[in-house]
């Protein structure tokens, strides 16, 4: 049985008061903070760069799970590592070479994750599963808050969980987008371990925290 981890996404909190959002996460008992870094090219939005990661690092010991929604993650690994990220997850749809970028993340002593968009098949990440710490399945199109969880996400999670067992691997399976009190148990049942949650967490942290209290 894999440990279940709640990873609240700080981007969903009022960006004027990110420090307050961090306090809400710490008070909830969550041990991870998910940071959505966006470059305005891979996704239309620009948000949360190395400066925010570094500011969070100075104020918390929580695990900083940085999700790079950027076109060329390979160019940014060093600076995000220096800013204090604990895990760097980038997209298999990005322009950087996957194997080299995963290795680069590991060379900095960080956990390495690979993400896939709703329209990307498992096949695109399959051959890298033995060299990553986590695979992140997008439950919505990346880059925007408050979208509905796509039901096909659970099918992907099930396939990844069964591949993990078949191959005796240890990667974690993360779900990101549209996670709330209704969809979290579905993703958990399918085999997910990490639950990235944004607006649903900040509007009702207690309700989501219940899933992790035992
Ligand atoms: Zn994310």
């Amino acid at each position: 049985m894999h440990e279940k981890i709640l990873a609240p996404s700080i981007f969903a909190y009022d960006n004027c008061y990110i420090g307050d959002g961090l306090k809400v996460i710490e008070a909830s008992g969550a041990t991870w903070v998910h940071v959505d870094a966006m470059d305005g090219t891979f996704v239309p939005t620009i948000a949360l760069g190395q400066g925010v990661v570094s500011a969070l690092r100075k104020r918390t010991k929580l695990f900083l799970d940085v999700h790079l929604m950027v076109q060329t993650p390979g160019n940014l690994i060093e600076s995000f590592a220096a800013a204090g990220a604990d895990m760097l997850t980038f997209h298999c749809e990005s322009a950087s070479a996957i194997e080299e970028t995963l290795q680069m993340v590991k060379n900095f002593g960080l956990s390495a994750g690979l993400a896939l968009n709703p329209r990307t098949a498992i096949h695109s990440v399959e051959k890298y599963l033995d060299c990553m710490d986590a695979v992140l399945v997008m439950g919505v199109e990346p880059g925007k808050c408050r979208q509905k969880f796509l039901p096909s996400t659970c099918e992907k999670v099930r396939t990844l969980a069964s591949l993990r067992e078949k191959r005796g691997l240890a990667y974690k399976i993360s779900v990101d987008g549209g996670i709330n009190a209704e969809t979290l148990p579905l993703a958990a049942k399918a085999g997910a371990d990490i639950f990235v949650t944004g607006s649903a967490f900040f509007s009702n942290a207690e309700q989501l925290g219940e899933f992790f209290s035992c």
Side-chain angles (χ1 to χ4, degrees):
M1 190 72 182
H2 292 257
E3 183 197 2
K4 304 284 184 208
I5 297 164
L6 184 67
S9 169
I10 196 93
F11 177 64
Y13 200 79
D14 185 334
N15 279 203
C16 273
Y17 301 97
I18 275 185
D20 292 346
L22 180 63
K23 284 182 196 157
V24 174
I25 296 171
E26 287 183 326
S28 77
T31 53
W32 283 35
V33 181
H34 185 84
V35 183
D36 283 314
M38 308 180 211
D39 68 351
T41 302
F42 187 75
V43 288
T45 309
I46 297 179
L48 310 192
Q50 296 91 330
V52 171
V53 172
S54 158
L56 289 167
R57 180 76 295 157
K58 285 186 192 127
R59 283 165 180 77
T60 187
K61 290 193 165 49
L62 296 188
F63 187 90
L64 295 181
D65 164 30
V66 178
H67 178 189
L68 299 170
M69 284 180 261
V70 304
Q71 192 62 22
T72 50
N75 299 343
L76 299 169
I77 302 303
E78 187 173 0
S79 55
F80 273 95
D86 291 298
M87 172 147 93
L88 290 175
T89 297
F90 62 94
H91 276 259
C92 65
E93 303 88 353
S94 74
S96 295
I98 295 176
E99 224 161 328
E100 285 85 338
T101 309
L102 285 169
Q103 195 52 51
M104 210 187 295
V105 175
K106 289 186 168 184
N107 290 347
F108 281 103
L110 309 183
S111 302
L114 194 57
L116 68 161
N117 283 338
R119 276 175 252 184
T120 305
I122 300 273
H123 178 70
S124 308
V125 299
E126 218 178 317
K127 68 174 182 172
Y128 309 105
L129 291 174
D130 59 346
C131 49
M132 66 174 87
D133 298 291
V135 53
L136 183 151
V137 181
M138 288 300 304
V140 300
E141 290 297 330
K144 277 187 257 159
C145 285
R146 296 176 194 281
Q147 296 178 72
K148 269 205 153 158
F149 183 75
L150 298 163
S152 57
T153 314
C154 286
E155 197 43 58
K156 274 186 185 164
V157 171
R158 267 191 287 278
T159 306
L160 286 164
S162 107
L163 281 170
R164 175 170 64 186
E165 207 182 313
K166 240 185 259 169
R167 299 189 190 173
L169 296 172
Y171 57 83
K172 290 184 164 62
I173 303 168
S174 176
V175 280
D176 183 357
I179 294 293
N180 56 37
E182 281 100 64
T183 56
L184 192 151
L186 302 177
K189 202 170 159 219
D193 316 289
I194 303 166
F195 306 88
V196 178
T197 167
S199 35
F201 172 81
F202 289 111
S203 58
N204 198 345
E206 264 176 33
Q207 195 186 20
L208 283 175
E210 275 171 20
F211 292 103
F212 300 85
S213 56
C214 51

